[in-house]
């Protein structure tokens, strides 16, 4: 998501992955990155393709070293440890046009704990010292004690001060992975800062996915706060549009509050019927859905 304003209104530009419904899931030409704009989340402009075949999972643009940078997955969904899975592009005109994507952070594919060599879901964050952080998802093999092979997604982290995004320091161990709440791991993170404290909202679990929250003062050491509090959502009560699972958050500042888009799937999840939901929060801990927020405003 990227916001730009005119004297009359604020335009919010949404970047998203498009999948060709008649294509094979593992085909490079099935995936691409598109954008659309809205002023009210009711009406949207005609979508336009930004990055073509094989690009997916765009992060929201961040401003760093005099330009906007967007991270994404490249050659998706191919898995090849020898080739970088991530790419970035930059914009010098307030995200109107973008450079040709370049690979970056190849060490994420080969870091020791990333046993499968798979890297997805890059998220860029600029800290208070001007360093650029990249959070990403790798995959490990689980020892199940049986012949059945299982895998889980875990959260990796790297940081750089190199304006060309070539030299990175990558953490030797993942920040977050398998837990009782998420036996198959985590993915899709969103990070924002409030009063010197960073909040991370992320997808916890894959099969039974939901949102969870952590906080940090340095983007390295994190405190777990458990499942994210969404008004009207409990273990026993979930709206139909997200009853199958929900995750993939994106958070941005919206006036005096935070706004969050998330993706929900209906039951059964095998049909892949997904919907975007819009939530708002004053503190980043308790979130209220769009309909409730509208009725109270």
């Amino acid at each position: 998501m990227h916001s730009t304003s005119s004297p009359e209104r604020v335009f919010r530009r949404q970047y998203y992955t498009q999948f060709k419904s008649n294509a094979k899931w593992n085909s490079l030409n099935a995936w691409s990155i598109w954008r659309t704009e809205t002023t009210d989340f009711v009406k949207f402009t005609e979508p336009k393709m930004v990055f073509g075949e094989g690009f997916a999972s765009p992060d929201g643009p961040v401003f760093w070293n005099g330009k906007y940078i967007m991270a994404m997955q490249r050659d998706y969904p191919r898995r090849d440890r020898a080739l970088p899975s991530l790419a970035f592009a930059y914009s010098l005109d307030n995200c109107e046009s973008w450079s040709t994507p370049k690979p970056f952070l190849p060490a994420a594919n080969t870091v020791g704990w990333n046993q499968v060599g798979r890297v997805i879901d890059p998220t860029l964050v600029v800290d208070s010292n001007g360093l650029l952080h990249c959070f990403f998802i790798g995959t490990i093999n689980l020892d199940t004690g049986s012949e059945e092979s299982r895998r889980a997604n875990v959260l990796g982290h790297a940081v750089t001060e190199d304006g060309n995004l070539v030299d990175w320091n990558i953490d030797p161990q993942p920040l977050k992975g398998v837990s009782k709440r998420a036996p198959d791991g985590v993915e899709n993170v969103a990070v924002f800062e409030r009063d010197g404290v960073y909040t991370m909202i992320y997808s916890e679990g894959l099969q039974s996915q939901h949102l969870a929250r952590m906080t940090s003062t340095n983007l390295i050491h994190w405190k777990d706060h458990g499942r994210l509090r969404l008004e009207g959502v409990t273990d026993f009560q979930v709206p139909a549009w997200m009853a199958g699972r929900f995750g993939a958050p994106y958070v941005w500042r919206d006036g005096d509050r935070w706004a969050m888009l998330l993706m929900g799937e209906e039951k059964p999840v095998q049909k892949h019927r997904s919907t975007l939901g819009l939530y708002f929060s004053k503190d980043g801990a308790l979130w209220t859905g769009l309909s409730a927020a509208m009725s109270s405003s």
Side-chain angles (χ1 to χ4, degrees):
M1 184 73 65
H2 173 67
S3 295
T4 184
S5 61
S6 69
E8 296 82 18
R9 52 187 173 173
V10 175
F11 294 88
R12 295 177 178 88
R13 182 172 296 154
Q14 179 181 351
Y15 297 89
Y16 63 95
T17 302
Q18 180 167 292
F19 173 76
K20 294 180 181 178
S21 58
N22 60 346
K24 293 183 178 180
W25 185 265
N26 60 354
S27 174
L28 284 179
N29 64 13
W31 304 90
S32 53
I33 294 175
W34 293 64
R35 81 180 194 194
T36 184
E37 295 178 353
T38 183
T39 59
D40 56 11
F41 287 98
V42 176
K43 296 180 180 179
F44 293 83
T45 61
E46 187 71 20
K48 296 181 180 180
M49 187 170 68
V50 183
F51 302 108
E53 296 178 356
F55 292 101
S57 294
D59 183 29
V62 299
F63 191 76
W64 189 62
N65 272 5
K67 55 183 175 289
Y68 281 98
I69 302 173
M70 184 194 299
M72 67 200 79
Q73 294 169 212
R74 65 183 293 271
D75 290 349
Y76 187 77
R78 183 185 63 187
R79 301 178 188 176
D80 188 337
R81 183 183 291 270
L83 298 173
S85 297
L86 304 182
F88 78 95
Y90 64 86
S91 173
L92 299 175
D93 57 3
N94 201 28
C95 302
E96 291 299 324
S97 61
W98 291 91
S99 67
T100 301
K102 296 181 179 180
F104 82 101
L105 197 54
N109 290 66
T110 57
V111 63
W113 54 263
N114 191 4
Q115 298 164 332
V116 180
R118 173 178 180 259
V119 182
I120 60 173
D121 299 339
T123 299
L124 299 178
V125 181
V126 180
D127 70 17
S128 59
N129 295 315
L131 298 178
L132 184 67
H133 297 250
C134 181
F135 297 92
F136 61 91
I137 302 298
T139 304
I140 62 173
N141 295 311
L142 296 177
D143 184 4
T144 62
S146 65
E147 295 182 357
E148 181 182 357
S149 175
R150 289 182 54 202
R151 290 176 173 175
N153 285 351
V154 295
L155 175 63
H157 169 258
V159 63
T160 186
E161 57 183 358
D162 179 7
N164 296 315
L165 277 68
V166 174
D167 297 321
W168 290 82
N169 292 320
I170 188 167
D171 289 4
Q173 297 296 328
L175 296 181
K176 191 77 173 177
V178 175
S179 66
K180 289 183 178 180
R181 298 196 310 261
D184 47 5
V186 302
E187 58 183 11
N188 307 124
V189 311
V191 181
F192 57 98
E193 185 267 341
R194 176 177 178 264
D195 298 332
V197 176
Y198 296 94
T199 294
M200 177 185 291
I201 297 175
Y202 61 97
S203 300
E204 188 172 61
L206 306 182
Q207 296 302 316
S208 300
Q209 192 168 93
H210 53 271
L211 292 176
R213 181 174 69 97
M214 300 191 296
T215 56
S216 172
T217 57
N218 59 11
L219 294 171
I220 298 173
H221 303 103
W222 293 87
K223 180 180 179 180
D224 181 14
H225 296 280
R227 293 185 65 145
L228 185 67
R229 296 168 60 201
L230 299 175
E231 192 170 283
V233 178
T234 68
D235 289 342
F236 308 101
Q237 177 185 1
V238 182
W241 66 270
M242 56 195 292
R245 57 188 174 191
F246 57 94
Y250 182 75
V251 177
W252 72 98
R253 192 66 177 171
D254 184 70
D256 63 348
R257 61 185 178 178
W258 298 100
M260 174 174 64
L261 278 176
L262 62 86
M263 185 181 73
E265 287 191 54
E266 302 175 8
K267 287 184 175 180
V269 296
Q270 290 79 8
K271 290 187 176 181
H272 298 293
R273 292 180 58 86
S274 58
T275 301
L276 292 179
L278 184 59
Y279 280 77
F280 298 98
S281 176
K282 292 288 189 179
D283 60 6
L286 174 63
W287 294 80
T288 302
L290 176 62
S291 58
M294 290 179 67
S295 63
S296 63
S297 61

